[in-house]
Amino acid sequence: MIEVLERILNEITEKLGYGNENKVIESNRPELCDFQCDNVFKLAKKYHKNPIEIGEAIVHAIQTLDDFCLYFEKVELAGPGFINMTVSDSFINKCLRYMQESEHFGIKKPLKKETYFLDYGGPNVAKPLHVGHMRTAIVGESLKRIIEYMGHKTISDVHLGDYGLQIGQVIYGILQDGKTEEDITLAYLEETYPKISALCKEDEQVKNACSEITKDLQDGSIQYQKLFKKILEISGNDIKRLYRYLGVSFDLWQGESDAYPYIPEVEKYLEAYIKDSEGAKIIPLNELPPLIFRKSNGAYLYATTDLATIYERITKYHPNHILYIVDNRQSLHFKQVFEVCETSKLTEGVNLEFLGYGTVNGLDGKPYKTRSGDAPKLDNLFTQIKELFATKKDSNKEMSGEDIDKIVNAILKFADLQNSREKDYIFDIEKFSNVVGKTGPYILYTYLRIDKILKCESIKYKINGIIYNEIDRKLRLQLLGLEKALTSAFDERKPHYLVDFIYNTAVLANQFYQMNHITGLEDEEKKQSWLYVLYLTNRILKNMLELVMIDIPSFM
Ligand code: ARG
């Protein structure tokens, strides 16, 4: 709709000699009009004229168009130069029909299909996944789905933290306990990592020993490699299980360790920039602290593996973009890495983006903790939500396990994705489990109620020219806002625009069926038109919920 309105305006301003760069936006004051164009002020400046004069000329030209009624109900100049537009009902319906009949609801395909490489998840092997790891997984997966929906290609990589100090610590524990590969279980890992990690904080010697082990592992020690493989297998399987529960998947299951073979090549490529500094190798940067490429003991660091990984990704997969969905607190690290990539032209022609995300906080505004004071493991969080949801209503206890899992997912994801990615948010389980409010259960409930109406009636999938009342019109216009919501989510890499769209649609849909009783309606034409609106609403809701990884349970 906006595209057509812009085209109409552009044709007119071009004829009037004012160029063709009009932007049409949704109205700031929906009680006055549906859309507005504020371009007149710019034109007035550019052409040294009075905005009212220009505005009146444009409005007059629109009003005298032969096919005015096809598109508009009313167009007027408001205030010092706003063009306010109210579209005609037939135009609304025409656009809805186009949405209904087109692939992806008629969202414009990109001029050029590009490859987006997404780096998200990034769990650290041998450490239990907790609530903080959920955000990168959920935001990353959702962005991946949105990017694909917009017509691009994606490649996703989990980028496991699999070569860091935590592995050295676990191996240290294994050796101390006199264990072998066969003894390594998930329970053993979950107990050993925190134990040795705490010990390292107290005992410098243990810490050094763990660093030594990590370094030897990286250098290829056969004994350590064997243990590492087993740790990776056990912990990796558990990570995969949790991601499966969340509906998060990856094309590549690579880790930091996979970057090691590329270090010599990237080191050679960056030769001119790498300097010696007290035995270490560093890359001085303009306004940032230097990037440390190799420590004086010969060990490589996080930045080194990221550079080597970039090298691997661009040579193997030739992406146009590499997106990192990583905790805000790592922004300095990525600034350093990106600066090296840019000055050395390593990533020439490739767009690198750091998409930071904020912290998940508890009611106290501090990082979300369990009662015992640690970050809750994801498993426990799932159970906690299940239990809470069961207490909300007696019939909830009778739901199938599969349906409950879908609801748990909806609660978590709707809570998370409604916040702008880079902001911290308070995770209030109680609030987000309710069936009222901006919550997953509210959306699911709305969908299922509409679905029930649709199943009871036979729909002819035809829309007539009439819009029957205000809420009817509001809902129809809301559906037309889909492209804008998706485009904003895609352009800004922020799924919350889509979540807002889903929520606003659900609110209007709820009002719609409360005010417009379909069952028993005698006017068949009206009934069909309303059924059609609800049918399209639910189709859109379902497809958009898929992009935020929310599945619909069989009943609620
Ligand atoms: N494993 C890292 C962490 O937990 C996150 C990895 C992010 N991705 C990357 N390419 N550095 O902090």
Side-chain angles (χ1 to χ4, degrees), residues 119 122-124 133 159 161 256 302 306 313 324 326 330 333-334:
D119 181 315
N124 295 321
H133 292 106
H159 202 72
E256 287 168 13
Y302 190 42
D306 262 325
R313 286 173 183 169
Y324 292 88
V326 184
Q330 293 193 25
H333 162 78
F334 281 96

Side-chain angles (χ1 to χ4, degrees), residues 295-406:
K295 287 213 290 198
S296 54
N297 74 353
Y300 293 110
L301 293 143
Y302 190 42
T304 327
T305 54
D306 262 325
L307 285 169
T309 305
I310 289 175
Y311 186 87
E312 177 185 5
R313 286 173 183 169
I314 54 175
T315 42
K316 267 197 191 158
Y317 305 103
H318 314 288
N320 305 92
H321 308 261
I322 306 179
L323 313 185
Y324 292 88
I325 298 93
V326 184
D327 194 310
N328 273 334
R329 287 166 286 193
Q330 293 193 25
S331 79
L332 174 62
H333 162 78
F334 281 96
K335 275 194 193 130
Q336 293 174 302
V337 170
F338 291 179
E339 187 175 324
V340 170
C341 290
E342 270 149 38
T343 24
S344 68
K345 298 201 163 61
L346 174 64
T347 51
E348 198 160 38
V350 183
N351 166 45
L352 301 176
E353 280 178 50
F354 169 70
L355 305 176
Y357 60 83
T359 312
V360 182
N361 288 330
L363 290 173
D364 57 359
K366 301 206 183 99
Y368 195 83
K369 296 259 162 63
T370 55
R371 274 197 211 108
S372 59
D374 19 73
K377 290 202 299 183
L378 271 187
D379 262 328
N380 299 348
L381 185 71
F382 299 157
T383 318
Q384 199 184 343
I385 298 176
K386 268 183 215 176
E387 285 169 3
L388 182 70
F389 186 71
T391 64
K392 294 270 167 189
K393 222 166 87 180
D394 274 349
S395 58
N396 287 353
K397 294 193 186 73
E398 285 144 33
M399 292 177 79
S400 72
E402 208 180 305
D403 278 352
I404 296 264
D405 287 339
K406 287 180 180 167

Side-chain angles (χ1 to χ4, degrees), residues 109 120 139 187 189 381 453 533:
K109 287 214 177 85
Y120 60 96
V139 174
L189 289 180
L381 185 71
I453 301 174
V533 172

Side-chain angles (χ1 to χ4, degrees), residues 39-314:
N39 203 34
V40 167
F41 300 104
K42 261 199 220 140
L43 296 179
K45 232 191 198 155
K46 192 165 168 193
Y47 296 95
H48 308 290
K49 282 198 176 153
N50 180 341
I52 298 200
E53 190 188 321
I54 297 185
E56 273 171 355
I58 297 174
V59 168
H60 177 74
I62 303 178
Q63 284 165 342
T64 48
L65 282 172
D66 284 343
D67 45 7
F68 177 83
C69 297
L70 223 53
Y71 301 104
F72 302 102
E73 192 183 304
K74 197 171 77 188
V75 176
E76 57 191 10
L77 192 68
F82 299 100
I83 300 178
N84 285 356
M85 292 168 273
T86 303
V87 290
S88 71
D89 290 357
S90 66
F91 186 31
I92 294 180
N93 289 329
K94 192 173 163 193
C95 292
L96 286 175
R97 217 174 298 130
Y98 175 74
M99 274 180 98
Q100 150 73 6
E101 285 161 7
S102 317
E103 193 196 353
H104 289 186
F105 303 106
I107 306 297
K108 258 205 307 295
K109 287 214 177 85
L111 295 175
K112 185 172 139 242
K113 183 170 176 159
E114 297 192 309
T115 301
Y116 285 76
F117 198 106
L118 287 99
D119 181 315
Y120 60 96
N124 295 321
V125 169
K127 291 192 197 177
L129 256 70
H130 57 78
V131 79
H133 292 106
M134 195 178 65
R135 254 202 128 177
T136 163
I138 293 179
V139 174
E141 177 73 24
S142 176
L143 281 176
K144 176 178 83 180
R145 295 183 185 202
I146 292 169
I147 292 170
E148 275 175 19
Y149 201 83
M150 297 303 279
H152 294 287
K153 180 181 150 96
T154 65
I155 303 170
S156 52
D157 179 17
V158 67
H159 202 72
L160 293 172
D162 61 357
Y163 244 18
L165 183 64
Q166 87 272 21
I167 306 289
Q169 290 170 326
V170 171
I171 295 180
Y172 176 89
I174 294 171
L175 300 175
Q176 287 294 308
D177 294 344
K179 303 273 186 194
T180 64
E181 288 145 71
E182 278 81 67
D183 304 316
I184 305 174
T185 60
L186 192 62
Y188 179 76
L189 289 180
E190 286 184 352
E191 176 192 319
T192 308
Y193 165 71
K195 195 171 81 190
I196 308 298
S197 154
L199 202 59
C200 280
K201 287 193 187 109
E202 287 161 21
D203 192 331
E204 192 72 13
Q205 253 174 335
V206 177
K207 194 177 152 199
N208 291 339
C210 292
S211 302
E212 238 2 81
I213 295 174
T214 312
K215 162 93 178 53
D216 290 344
L217 169 75
Q218 293 170 352
D219 287 345
S221 145
I222 300 197
Q223 185 201 4
Y224 295 165
Q225 280 290 333
K226 261 191 173 165
L227 291 170
F228 166 67
K229 294 253 157 66
K230 183 74 185 192
I231 297 169
L232 189 61
E233 181 197 319
I234 300 277
S235 175
N237 282 340
D238 192 50
I239 291 170
K240 282 183 184 155
R241 176 183 64 83
L242 291 164
Y243 283 155
R244 215 177 300 127
Y245 188 82
L246 289 170
V248 171
S249 67
F250 298 91
D251 299 314
L252 304 172
W253 204 257
Q254 304 253 89
E256 287 168 13
S257 67
D258 294 297
Y260 272 71
Y262 295 88
I263 292 179
E265 280 170 69
V266 83
E267 183 162 2
K268 184 146 194 311
Y269 183 89
L270 296 172
E271 213 173 3
Y273 304 90
I274 300 178
K275 307 275 173 266
D276 285 322
S277 167
E278 297 167 31
K281 289 185 175 184
I282 63 161
I283 304 181
L285 299 171
N286 264 337
E287 275 160 24
L288 303 170
L291 178 142
I292 305 178
F293 193 85
R294 213 182 79 168
K295 287 213 290 198
S296 54
N297 74 353
Y300 293 110
L301 293 143
Y302 190 42
T304 327
T305 54
D306 262 325
L307 285 169
T309 305
I310 289 175
Y311 186 87
E312 177 185 5
R313 286 173 183 169
I314 54 175

